[in-house]
Amino acid sequence: MREPRREPCHEPRRDRRRVTLEQGGPVLVEGPVEVRLDDGRTVVSDRFMTALCTCRRSRTYPWCDTSHRRRSRPA
């Protein structure tokens, strides 16, 4: 298997989507996206930035609803 090619580029090409991995959080994808789920269904988001859940705690899976954040009780 080949390693992905790394390009020294600061501006994304128009035919590519930028994906940002947030440590402990969602995967952020720029632009409208189409997501194929493991059960074969396809869901679409037309938002300019979409947050995809990686922890599977979201009630709106595959979209992130910030359920991954730790909840703390008020003192």
Side-chain angles (χ1 to χ4, degrees):
M1 184 167 184
R2 291 178 39 188
E3 296 245 350
R5 184 175 47 159
R6 296 180 190 263
E7 295 181 17
C9 174
H10 297 287
E11 291 295 318
R13 286 181 24 187
R14 294 187 137 261
D15 60 340
R16 295 185 181 165
R17 297 282 181 227
R18 179 171 293 184
V19 176
T20 305
L21 304 176
E22 295 285 327
Q23 186 173 358
V27 172
L28 303 175
V29 182
E30 285 187 13
V33 296
E34 180 179 288
V35 178
R36 183 164 299 147
L37 302 174
D38 54 1
D39 65 1
R41 290 182 299 138
T42 300
V43 292
V44 176
S45 172
D46 292 323
R47 299 181 63 137
F48 69 94
M49 180 69 74
T50 300
L52 297 174
C53 176
T54 58
C55 69
R56 292 191 169 254
R57 293 182 204 154
S58 176
R59 291 183 187 164
T60 59
Y61 185 82
W63 319 124
C64 179
D65 67 1
T66 68
S67 294
H68 60 276
R69 294 182 185 165
R70 293 202 170 139
R71 308 233 191 270
S72 60
R73 294 184 186 187

